[in-house]
Amino acid sequence: MTKEEYTPYLDFLRFCLDDEAEVPQSVSQIDWEKLYHFARTQTVEGTYWHGMERLDRGGLLKLDENTVLGWMARIKKVEKENRNVYKKAAWVSRNFGKEGFRSCVLKGQGNALLYPTPFMRTPGDIDIWVEGGDEKVIAYVDSIRPGFRRIYHHIDFINAGTVPVEVHYRPSWMSNPLHNSRLQKWFVDHSDACFSNMQEEWGFCVPTFEFNCVFLLSHIFNHLLREGVGLRHVVDYYHLLTRHAEEPRPSEKELRRLGLYKIASALMWVLYEYTDIDKRLLLCEPNEQLGRLMMDEILLGGNFGKYDKRTLGGTAKNALQRNLRVGLRDFRFLRYFPSECLCEPLFRIRHFIWRKRHPITTD
Protein backbone atom coordinates (compact mmCIF):
# COMPACT_ATOMS: atom_id res chain seq x y z
CA MET A 1 0.00 0.00 0.00
CA THR A 2 1.08 3.59 -0.63
CA LYS A 3 1.20 6.20 2.12
CA GLU A 4 -1.89 7.84 0.63
CA GLU A 5 -3.83 4.59 1.00
CA TYR A 6 -2.99 4.53 4.72
CA THR A 7 -4.36 8.04 5.26
CA PRO A 8 -7.98 7.05 6.07
CA TYR A 9 -6.76 4.43 8.55
CA LEU A 10 -4.51 6.93 10.31
CA ASP A 11 -7.25 9.59 10.33
CA PHE A 12 -9.55 7.03 11.89
CA LEU A 13 -6.90 6.19 14.50
CA ARG A 14 -7.26 9.72 15.91
CA PHE A 15 -10.99 9.13 16.28
CA CYS A 16 -10.40 5.75 17.94
CA LEU A 17 -8.02 7.21 20.52
CA ASP A 18 -9.98 10.34 21.45
CA ASP A 19 -13.61 9.94 22.49
CA GLU A 20 -14.13 13.66 21.95
CA ALA A 21 -12.85 13.64 18.36
CA GLU A 22 -15.21 14.21 15.46
CA VAL A 23 -15.74 11.55 12.82
CA PRO A 24 -13.17 12.10 10.07
CA GLN A 25 -14.50 12.74 6.58
CA SER A 26 -12.20 10.06 5.19
CA VAL A 27 -14.07 7.35 7.11
CA SER A 28 -16.20 6.83 4.00
CA GLN A 29 -13.06 5.70 2.16
CA ILE A 30 -12.22 2.91 4.59
CA ASP A 31 -12.26 -0.64 3.33
CA TRP A 32 -13.05 -2.41 6.62
CA GLU A 33 -11.57 -5.74 5.59
CA LYS A 34 -8.30 -4.03 4.62
CA LEU A 35 -8.40 -2.08 7.86
CA TYR A 36 -8.72 -5.40 9.69
CA HIS A 37 -5.55 -6.64 7.98
CA PHE A 38 -3.77 -3.36 8.76
CA ALA A 39 -4.84 -3.53 12.41
CA ARG A 40 -3.57 -7.11 12.65
CA THR A 41 -0.16 -6.25 11.19
CA GLN A 42 0.13 -3.39 13.70
CA THR A 43 -1.50 -5.38 16.56
CA VAL A 44 -3.97 -2.59 17.37
CA GLU A 45 -7.22 -4.42 16.66
CA GLY A 46 -8.78 -3.43 19.98
CA THR A 47 -8.03 0.25 19.46
CA TYR A 48 -9.69 0.30 16.06
CA TRP A 49 -12.65 -1.73 17.36
CA HIS A 50 -13.13 0.90 20.07
CA GLY A 51 -13.64 3.49 17.33
CA MET A 52 -15.86 1.20 15.31
CA GLU A 53 -18.14 0.75 18.32
CA ARG A 54 -18.45 4.53 18.57
CA LEU A 55 -19.38 4.71 14.89
CA ASP A 56 -21.93 1.95 15.36
CA ARG A 57 -23.58 3.78 18.26
CA GLY A 58 -23.96 6.76 15.95
CA GLY A 59 -25.43 4.62 13.17
CA LEU A 60 -22.47 5.38 10.92
CA LEU A 61 -20.86 1.96 10.71
CA LYS A 62 -22.00 0.05 7.63
CA LEU A 63 -20.51 -3.45 7.57
CA ASP A 64 -21.60 -6.70 5.97
CA GLU A 65 -22.26 -9.63 8.27
CA ASN A 66 -19.07 -11.55 7.45
CA THR A 67 -16.87 -8.53 8.19
CA VAL A 68 -18.65 -7.90 11.49
CA LEU A 69 -18.29 -11.52 12.53
CA GLY A 70 -14.59 -11.51 11.62
CA TRP A 71 -13.88 -8.43 13.70
CA MET A 72 -15.96 -9.66 16.64
CA ALA A 73 -14.27 -13.05 16.69
CA ARG A 74 -10.85 -11.42 16.79
CA ILE A 75 -11.82 -8.96 19.54
CA LYS A 76 -13.28 -11.77 21.66
CA LYS A 77 -10.03 -13.67 21.23
CA VAL A 78 -7.97 -10.63 22.27
CA GLU A 79 -10.11 -10.23 25.39
CA LYS A 80 -9.79 -13.92 26.27
CA GLU A 81 -6.03 -13.84 25.75
CA ASN A 82 -5.77 -10.76 27.97
CA ARG A 83 -7.66 -12.41 30.80
CA ASN A 84 -5.34 -15.40 30.59
CA VAL A 85 -2.16 -13.29 30.52
CA TYR A 86 -3.33 -11.15 33.45
CA LYS A 87 -3.95 -14.31 35.46
CA LYS A 88 -0.57 -15.80 34.54
CA ALA A 89 1.26 -12.53 35.25
CA ALA A 90 -0.18 -12.48 38.76
CA TRP A 91 0.79 -16.14 39.21
CA VAL A 92 4.39 -15.52 38.11
CA SER A 93 4.68 -12.40 40.28
CA ARG A 94 3.24 -14.21 43.29
CA ASN A 95 5.65 -17.12 42.93
CA PHE A 96 8.70 -14.86 42.72
CA GLY A 97 7.40 -13.04 45.78
CA LYS A 98 7.23 -16.29 47.72
CA GLU A 99 10.93 -16.78 47.00
CA GLY A 100 11.79 -13.32 48.28
CA PHE A 101 12.08 -11.54 44.93
CA ARG A 102 10.35 -8.22 44.39
CA SER A 103 9.12 -7.77 40.84
CA CYS A 104 7.02 -5.70 38.47
CA VAL A 105 5.41 -6.49 35.12
CA LEU A 106 6.92 -4.52 32.26
CA LYS A 107 5.35 -3.53 28.93
CA GLY A 108 2.45 -5.85 28.01
CA GLN A 109 -0.11 -6.07 30.77
CA GLY A 110 1.34 -3.06 32.55
CA ASN A 111 0.71 -0.96 29.43
CA ALA A 112 -2.71 -2.54 28.93
CA LEU A 113 -3.89 -1.06 32.23
CA LEU A 114 -3.43 2.40 30.69
CA TYR A 115 -6.04 1.74 27.98
CA PRO A 116 -9.72 2.76 28.22
CA THR A 117 -10.51 -0.87 28.99
CA PRO A 118 -7.84 -3.31 30.22
CA PHE A 119 -8.76 -5.98 27.65
CA MET A 120 -8.43 -4.07 24.38
CA ARG A 121 -4.64 -4.18 23.95
CA THR A 122 -3.38 -7.16 21.94
CA PRO A 123 -1.26 -9.09 24.47
CA GLY A 124 2.11 -10.77 23.99
CA ASP A 125 4.36 -12.62 26.38
CA ILE A 126 4.96 -11.75 30.04
CA ASP A 127 7.97 -9.54 30.76
CA ILE A 128 8.68 -9.42 34.47
CA TRP A 129 11.50 -7.42 36.03
CA VAL A 130 12.88 -9.25 39.07
CA GLU A 131 15.10 -7.60 41.65
CA GLY A 132 18.50 -9.08 42.38
CA GLY A 133 20.73 -8.67 39.34
CA ASP A 134 21.74 -11.16 36.66
CA GLU A 135 23.86 -13.50 38.84
CA LYS A 136 21.18 -14.03 41.46
CA VAL A 137 18.22 -14.24 39.09
CA ILE A 138 19.93 -16.63 36.66
CA ALA A 139 21.03 -18.86 39.54
CA TYR A 140 17.45 -19.02 40.81
CA VAL A 141 15.99 -19.82 37.37
CA ASP A 142 18.67 -22.50 36.82
CA SER A 143 17.83 -24.01 40.21
CA ILE A 144 14.26 -24.58 39.03
CA ARG A 145 15.03 -25.85 35.57
CA PRO A 146 18.38 -25.26 33.84
CA GLY A 147 18.86 -24.87 30.11
CA PHE A 148 16.98 -21.67 29.39
CA ARG A 149 18.37 -19.14 26.93
CA ARG A 150 19.79 -16.06 28.61
CA ILE A 151 20.93 -12.74 27.12
CA TYR A 152 22.21 -9.48 28.57
CA HIS A 153 18.88 -8.22 29.91
CA HIS A 154 16.66 -11.26 30.40
CA ILE A 155 16.44 -15.02 30.66
CA ASP A 156 13.68 -17.13 29.15
CA PHE A 157 11.55 -18.95 31.69
CA ILE A 158 8.97 -21.68 31.81
CA ASN A 159 5.76 -21.01 29.93
CA ALA A 160 2.96 -20.02 32.25
CA GLY A 161 0.45 -22.26 30.52
CA THR A 162 0.72 -21.12 26.91
CA VAL A 163 2.23 -17.71 27.75
CA PRO A 164 6.02 -17.29 27.33
CA VAL A 165 7.75 -15.57 30.24
CA GLU A 166 10.89 -13.43 30.04
CA VAL A 167 12.52 -12.70 33.39
CA HIS A 168 14.38 -9.39 33.25
CA TYR A 169 17.28 -8.55 35.52
CA ARG A 170 17.74 -5.40 33.46
CA PRO A 171 14.62 -3.72 32.03
CA SER A 172 16.41 -2.61 28.84
CA TRP A 173 19.82 -1.53 27.57
CA MET A 174 21.73 0.76 25.20
CA SER A 175 24.66 -0.13 22.93
CA ASN A 176 26.54 3.05 23.79
CA PRO A 177 28.45 2.08 26.97
CA LEU A 178 28.19 5.52 28.58
CA HIS A 179 24.47 5.82 27.95
CA ASN A 180 23.94 2.21 29.03
CA SER A 181 25.79 2.78 32.30
CA ARG A 182 23.67 5.83 33.04
CA LEU A 183 20.49 4.02 32.05
CA GLN A 184 21.17 1.02 34.29
CA LYS A 185 21.87 3.32 37.24
CA TRP A 186 18.68 5.25 36.46
CA PHE A 187 16.70 2.00 36.53
CA VAL A 188 18.17 1.00 39.89
CA ASP A 189 17.53 4.44 41.35
CA HIS A 190 13.84 4.17 40.41
CA SER A 191 13.37 0.48 41.19
CA ASP A 192 11.89 0.80 44.70
CA ALA A 193 8.95 2.83 43.40
CA CYS A 194 8.24 0.23 40.70
CA PHE A 195 8.56 -2.80 42.98
CA SER A 196 6.06 -1.25 45.39
CA ASN A 197 3.56 0.02 42.80
CA MET A 198 1.10 -2.82 43.40
CA GLN A 199 -2.10 -3.04 41.37
CA GLU A 200 -4.29 -4.84 43.89
CA GLU A 201 -7.04 -5.74 41.45
CA TRP A 202 -4.59 -7.54 39.18
CA GLY A 203 -2.12 -8.95 41.67
CA PHE A 204 1.17 -7.54 40.41
CA CYS A 205 3.26 -4.37 40.44
CA VAL A 206 3.75 -2.16 37.38
CA PRO A 207 6.26 0.61 36.61
CA THR A 208 5.56 4.17 37.65
CA PHE A 209 4.76 6.84 35.08
CA GLU A 210 8.23 8.39 35.37
CA PHE A 211 9.90 5.02 34.93
CA ASN A 212 7.78 4.11 31.90
CA CYS A 213 8.52 7.41 30.18
CA VAL A 214 12.21 6.43 30.06
CA PHE A 215 11.93 2.64 29.90
CA LEU A 216 9.45 2.55 27.01
CA LEU A 217 11.58 5.02 25.05
CA SER A 218 14.62 2.76 25.39
CA HIS A 219 12.46 -0.24 24.46
CA ILE A 220 11.10 1.50 21.35
CA PHE A 221 14.61 2.65 20.43
CA ASN A 222 15.92 -0.90 20.54
CA HIS A 223 13.03 -2.17 18.43
CA LEU A 224 13.44 0.57 15.85
CA LEU A 225 17.15 -0.15 15.41
CA ARG A 226 17.08 -3.95 15.62
CA GLU A 227 13.67 -5.28 14.56
CA GLY A 228 11.02 -2.71 13.89
CA VAL A 229 8.28 -0.77 15.63
CA GLY A 230 4.54 -0.84 15.17
CA LEU A 231 1.57 1.36 15.94
CA ARG A 232 1.05 -0.55 19.18
CA HIS A 233 4.22 1.09 20.54
CA VAL A 234 2.83 4.51 19.57
CA VAL A 235 -0.60 3.81 21.05
CA ASP A 236 0.99 2.57 24.28
CA TYR A 237 2.90 5.82 24.66
CA TYR A 238 -0.16 7.89 23.77
CA HIS A 239 -2.11 6.32 26.62
CA LEU A 240 0.87 6.68 28.96
CA LEU A 241 1.10 10.43 28.40
CA THR A 242 -2.63 11.16 28.35
CA ARG A 243 -3.48 9.04 31.41
CA HIS A 244 -0.87 10.94 33.41
CA ALA A 245 -1.49 14.40 32.03
CA GLU A 246 -0.83 16.18 35.33
CA GLU A 247 2.44 14.45 36.23
CA PRO A 248 5.80 16.07 35.44
CA ARG A 249 7.70 14.72 32.43
CA PRO A 250 11.40 13.81 32.31
CA SER A 251 13.40 16.87 31.34
CA GLU A 252 15.07 17.25 27.95
CA LYS A 253 18.38 17.41 29.81
CA GLU A 254 17.72 14.00 31.35
CA LEU A 255 16.71 12.49 28.01
CA ARG A 256 19.91 13.79 26.41
CA ARG A 257 22.01 12.45 29.28
CA LEU A 258 20.50 8.99 28.78
CA GLY A 259 20.90 9.09 25.00
CA LEU A 260 17.14 9.05 24.42
CA TYR A 261 16.46 12.58 23.21
CA LYS A 262 16.50 11.78 19.48
CA ILE A 263 14.14 8.80 19.73
CA ALA A 264 11.90 10.87 22.01
CA SER A 265 11.74 13.70 19.46
CA ALA A 266 10.87 11.20 16.72
CA LEU A 267 8.09 9.59 18.74
CA MET A 268 6.74 12.98 19.81
CA TRP A 269 6.40 13.98 16.15
CA VAL A 270 4.49 10.80 15.33
CA LEU A 271 2.19 11.35 18.31
CA TYR A 272 1.60 15.00 17.49
CA GLU A 273 1.05 14.34 13.79
CA TYR A 274 -1.13 11.24 13.97
CA THR A 275 -3.06 11.59 17.24
CA ASP A 276 -4.93 14.45 18.89
CA ILE A 277 -2.52 14.61 21.84
CA ASP A 278 -2.14 17.99 23.51
CA LYS A 279 1.30 19.37 22.64
CA ARG A 280 1.78 20.33 26.28
CA LEU A 281 1.95 16.62 27.15
CA LEU A 282 4.90 15.89 24.87
CA LEU A 283 8.31 15.18 26.37
CA CYS A 284 10.23 17.43 23.99
CA GLU A 285 10.02 19.34 20.72
CA PRO A 286 9.00 17.00 17.86
CA ASN A 287 11.57 16.31 15.15
CA GLU A 288 9.87 15.98 11.77
CA GLN A 289 12.77 14.29 9.95
CA LEU A 290 13.18 11.59 12.60
CA GLY A 291 9.42 11.30 13.05
CA ARG A 292 8.85 10.67 9.35
CA LEU A 293 11.60 8.07 9.44
CA MET A 294 9.89 6.30 12.33
CA MET A 295 6.47 6.45 10.67
CA ASP A 296 7.87 5.03 7.44
CA GLU A 297 9.31 2.13 9.41
CA ILE A 298 5.98 1.55 11.14
CA LEU A 299 4.03 1.42 7.88
CA LEU A 300 6.61 -0.68 6.01
CA GLY A 301 7.40 -3.19 8.72
CA GLY A 302 4.38 -3.50 10.98
CA ASN A 303 4.69 -4.77 14.53
CA PHE A 304 8.30 -5.84 15.29
CA GLY A 305 9.14 -5.36 11.61
CA LYS A 306 7.64 -8.74 10.73
CA TYR A 307 6.43 -7.52 7.34
CA ASP A 308 9.58 -5.64 6.32
CA LYS A 309 10.97 -7.30 3.19
CA ARG A 310 14.07 -5.07 3.03
CA THR A 311 15.90 -6.65 5.97
CA LEU A 312 14.47 -10.18 6.12
CA GLY A 313 11.71 -9.07 8.48
CA GLY A 314 10.19 -11.98 10.32
CA THR A 315 11.82 -14.51 8.00
CA ALA A 316 15.18 -14.49 9.86
CA LYS A 317 15.40 -18.04 11.23
CA ASN A 318 18.96 -18.31 12.50
CA ALA A 319 21.74 -16.28 14.13
CA LEU A 320 23.42 -15.44 10.83
CA GLN A 321 20.25 -14.01 9.35
CA ARG A 322 19.42 -12.13 12.53
CA ASN A 323 22.90 -10.59 12.66
CA LEU A 324 22.66 -9.66 8.99
CA ARG A 325 19.32 -8.00 9.61
CA VAL A 326 20.69 -5.99 12.54
CA GLY A 327 23.76 -5.00 10.52
CA LEU A 328 21.64 -3.78 7.62
CA ARG A 329 19.41 -1.78 9.94
CA ASP A 330 22.43 -0.25 11.68
CA PHE A 331 23.77 0.85 8.31
CA ARG A 332 20.43 2.38 7.33
CA PHE A 333 20.02 4.29 10.61
CA LEU A 334 23.68 5.31 11.01
CA ARG A 335 23.19 8.89 9.83
CA TYR A 336 20.27 9.42 12.19
CA PHE A 337 21.47 7.64 15.34
CA PRO A 338 25.27 7.38 14.96
CA SER A 339 26.02 6.85 18.64
CA GLU A 340 23.95 3.67 18.99
CA CYS A 341 24.71 2.29 15.53
CA LEU A 342 28.49 2.72 15.79
CA CYS A 343 28.56 1.18 19.27
CA GLU A 344 26.38 -1.82 18.36
CA PRO A 345 29.34 -3.99 17.18
CA LEU A 346 31.13 -3.17 20.45
CA PHE A 347 28.05 -4.21 22.39
CA ARG A 348 28.04 -7.53 20.53
CA ILE A 349 31.57 -8.19 21.74
CA ARG A 350 30.57 -7.29 25.28
CA HIS A 351 27.51 -9.47 24.99
CA PHE A 352 29.60 -12.40 23.73
CA ILE A 353 31.86 -12.09 26.78
CA TRP A 354 28.82 -11.81 29.06
CA ARG A 355 27.33 -15.00 27.62
CA LYS A 356 30.61 -16.84 28.12
CA ARG A 357 30.41 -15.84 31.79
CA HIS A 358 26.81 -17.05 31.99
CA PRO A 359 26.75 -20.30 30.02
CA ILE A 360 23.59 -22.37 29.65
CA THR A 361 23.71 -25.36 31.96
CA THR A 362 21.75 -28.58 31.75
CA ASP A 363 20.68 -31.26 34.19
Side-chain angles (χ1 to χ4, degrees):
M1 295 177 66
T2 65
K3 288 185 181 179
E4 290 71 23
E5 290 177 292
Y6 286 119
T7 298
Y9 305 156
L10 298 174
D11 288 345
F12 189 50
L13 179 65
R14 291 189 181 89
F15 176 79
C16 297
L17 290 171
D18 184 358
D19 286 348
E20 302 300 320
E22 296 183 359
V23 179
Q25 293 183 349
S26 59
V27 74
S28 61
Q29 303 171 30
I30 292 178
D31 181 316
W32 298 102
E33 288 191 13
K34 288 184 178 179
L35 176 63
Y36 176 75
H37 175 73
F38 176 71
R40 289 292 303 271
T41 62
Q42 301 289 341
T43 59
V44 288
E45 305 98 301
T47 295
Y48 273 111
W49 181 252
H50 182 70
M52 292 167 69
E53 287 184 313
R54 288 180 60 206
L55 281 183
D56 189 48
R57 288 194 293 271
L60 300 174
L61 186 63
K62 309 297 182 182
L63 299 181
D64 62 74
E65 184 177 357
N66 287 336
T67 302
V68 171
L69 291 175
W71 271 97
M72 290 184 66
R74 178 57 188 165
I75 297 306
K76 287 293 184 183
K77 185 177 181 182
V78 168
E79 180 178 342
K80 182 179 179 180
E81 289 172 349
N82 267 303
R83 293 184 184 279
N84 181 48
V85 178
Y86 277 123
K87 185 185 302 183
K88 298 302 182 182
W91 177 82
V92 172
S93 177
R94 186 166 57 249
N95 278 279
F96 273 111
K98 289 178 181 178
E99 298 298 326
F101 291 96
R102 294 194 299 172
S103 67
C104 75
V105 174
L106 302 170
K107 300 181 292 183
Q109 300 317 111
N111 287 345
L113 296 180
L114 300 168
Y115 281 57
T117 65
F119 304 110
M120 64 187 289
R121 183 186 187 274
T122 306
D125 54 13
I126 295 170
D127 293 88
I128 187 165
W129 179 25
V130 176
E131 187 178 33
D134 51 11
E135 303 286 348
K136 187 175 180 180
V137 173
I138 290 173
Y140 171 68
V141 171
D142 280 346
S143 72
I144 297 175
R145 189 188 301 170
F148 288 111
R149 183 183 73 104
R150 69 283 313 271
I151 56 178
Y152 177 71
H153 65 299
H154 77 251
I155 182 171
D156 292 341
F157 199 35
I158 55 175
N159 280 6
T162 58
V163 185
V165 179
E166 293 181 355
V167 181
H168 288 248
Y169 23 83
R170 297 180 182 90
S172 185
W173 85 100
M174 303 276 282
S175 291
N176 181 298
L178 177 60
H179 292 154
N180 186 56
S181 176
R182 291 172 176 172
L183 185 67
Q184 300 311 322
K185 184 179 185 303
W186 194 94
F187 287 151
V188 171
D189 290 345
H190 292 77
S191 60
D192 279 343
C194 296
F195 293 137
S196 59
N197 191 26
M198 174 61 71
Q199 307 300 298
E200 297 293 346
E201 180 179 358
W202 305 99
F204 51 79
C205 293
V206 299
T208 62
F209 167 71
E210 182 181 13
F211 186 92
N212 259 340
C213 280
V214 169
F215 162 66
L216 290 179
L217 276 180
S218 67
H219 174 65
I220 291 170
F221 200 11
N222 275 318
H223 272 291
L224 175 66
L225 295 181
R226 293 169 181 88
E227 293 179 287
V229 293
L231 276 182
R232 183 171 63 174
H233 292 106
V234 176
V235 172
D236 283 351
Y237 219 91
Y238 170 87
H239 288 304
L240 174 70
L241 295 181
T242 55
R243 281 289 297 272
H244 298 274
E246 303 303 319
E247 295 193 39
R249 272 66 180 138
S251 67
E252 291 189 12
K253 180 180 179 180
E254 185 77 345
L255 295 176
R256 291 183 187 278
R257 196 181 73 86
L258 296 173
L260 295 171
Y261 181 79
K262 281 190 172 182
I263 190 64
S265 67
L267 180 58
M268 295 308 105
W269 186 87
V270 172
L271 285 168
Y272 189 64
E273 193 71 16
Y274 292 99
T275 76
D276 282 336
I277 195 168
D278 189 327
K279 193 172 185 179
R280 292 172 296 180
L281 301 184
L282 301 181
L283 301 184
C284 61
E285 190 66 25
N287 183 305
E288 182 176 354
Q289 181 188 33
L290 296 179
R292 288 188 182 280
L293 173 72
M294 175 180 280
M295 197 62 194
D296 286 346
E297 293 296 317
I298 288 171
L299 297 179
L300 285 169
N303 196 50
F304 296 146
K306 292 178 181 178
Y307 305 91
D308 190 345
K309 305 302 182 184
R310 299 167 301 171
T311 52
L312 303 179
T315 65
K317 302 299 183 182
N318 55 52
L320 178 62
Q321 288 187 339
R322 287 193 294 273
N323 287 332
L324 176 60
R325 178 177 62 188
V326 171
L328 290 171
R329 294 185 74 87
D330 279 336
F331 182 77
R332 191 163 74 247
F333 292 124
L334 178 60
R335 61 177 290 202
Y336 304 104
F337 307 105
S339 173
E340 276 296 290
C341 293
L342 289 173
C343 289
E344 201 277 333
L346 298 177
F347 179 80
R348 289 199 204 186
I349 296 172
R350 179 183 179 185
H351 191 211
F352 175 80
I353 296 171
W354 183 92
R355 294 184 73 172
K356 287 295 184 182
R357 290 179 52 232
H358 301 84
I360 296 177
T361 58
T362 57
D363 287 316

